[in-house]
Amino acid sequence: MRHFPPRRVVCLTEETVETLYLLGEQKRIVGVSGYAVRPPQVRREKPRVSAFVSADIPRILALEPDLVLAFSDLQAGIVADLVRAGIDVHVFNQRDVAGILAMIRTLGALVGAAGRAEDLAQGFGRRLAAIAAAPRPAPRPKVYFEEWGDPLISGIGWVSELIEIAGGADVFPELRHRQTAKDRIVSTEAVREAAPDVILASWCGKKVAPARIRARDGWSDIPAVRNGRIVEIKSSIILQPGPAALTDGLEAIVTALWETHSSLSTPSS
């Protein structure tokens, strides 16, 4: 980097934006993903320079960033273009709760705020431990989390862990270590046989259609469908592996498992 700490940072995903704001380092951000919505003021404070798998490279270069923050192999093409243009890029790849906490610590170190990042990560860790230790009635409710509805995609790593922290039991825990969505496709028959007590759905930015879930062949006998426990969780608070998932996302899961019994509830972010 030309400067340390970097004076001008571009964030190509949401979780690094939120983390920098939580660290009080938002002044460094000069460009963000179009999906960045946390905190709310980011929409009016920071220019948008990318989607998720595409970016306005000339616009990013015009911002003269010292550092660009990216996420996963899905942004490899963007990263390659930026590296060829001489830009410093750090690519995160967190896929579980431990990885989220490590991302916070690493990002803090990158911007010269290691102490505050450590405090933030430790605070999240204590909160997760407290929620996990809360007494819950037995047995644990069986939970099917649906990231996409056609094909059915389940098992995203950090969500599976958060379900367990909230007191539930993921019906497909073996999928949590599979990084790509295509490796987490499940069949309607598999979900029916798993007989989840609760269905949590977050269709990656698309509004969940509970009627479509209820209408799937053979699903009327699934306890979650029969008892009206299909709960939408906004993708902005659960599908980004960052602070949102550890706070509002986890809270939404706890509410769905232990407090919500309506046919569809959309917790506010």
Side-chain angles (χ1 to χ4, degrees), residues 17-19 21-22 36-43 45 48:
V17 173
E18 182 175 13
T19 300
Y21 268 87
L22 289 172
V37 297
R38 295 170 63 95
Q41 63 265 34
V42 71
R43 291 179 170 180
E45 291 180 350
R48 312 216 159 211

Side-chain angles (χ1 to χ4, degrees), residues 222-238:
I222 291 177
V225 176
R226 189 172 62 242
N227 297 323
R229 300 194 69 185
I230 302 170
V231 181
E232 179 181 16
I233 299 180
K234 291 181 179 179
S235 58
S236 61
I237 65 170
I238 198 64

Side-chain angles (χ1 to χ4, degrees), residues 15 61 67 79 103 110 114 124 139 152 162 216 237 246 248 267:
E15 61 277 354
L61 297 180
L67 177 65
V79 169
M103 177 276 291
L110 285 171
F124 283 140
L152 306 187
L162 293 176
R216 291 171 184 161
I237 65 170
L246 303 186
D248 290 356

Side-chain angles (χ1 to χ4, degrees), residues 32 95 102 120 123 135 139 154 187 191 201:
V32 299
R95 305 282 181 161
L120 183 63
S154 182
S187 67
V191 179

Side-chain angles (χ1 to χ4, degrees), residues 177-260:
H177 302 297
R178 300 182 187 179
Q179 293 191 9
T180 64
K182 65 181 178 62
D183 292 330
R184 292 185 276 108
I185 294 174
V186 297
S187 67
T188 57
E189 293 78 12
V191 179
R192 187 172 63 238
E193 291 171 4
D197 301 299
V198 181
I199 294 174
L200 304 179
S202 185
W203 286 357
C204 202
K206 180 180 178 182
K207 186 171 177 58
V208 171
R212 286 176 51 190
I213 295 175
R214 291 192 295 267
R216 291 171 184 161
D217 186 36
W219 280 36
S220 59
D221 290 331
I222 291 177
V225 176
R226 189 172 62 242
N227 297 323
R229 300 194 69 185
I230 302 170
V231 181
E232 179 181 16
I233 299 180
K234 291 181 179 179
S235 58
S236 61
I237 65 170
I238 198 64
L239 293 184
Q240 287 74 46
L246 303 186
T247 54
D248 290 356
L250 177 56
E251 184 176 320
I253 295 173
V254 170
T255 298
L257 300 192
W258 304 110
E259 300 173 30
T260 300

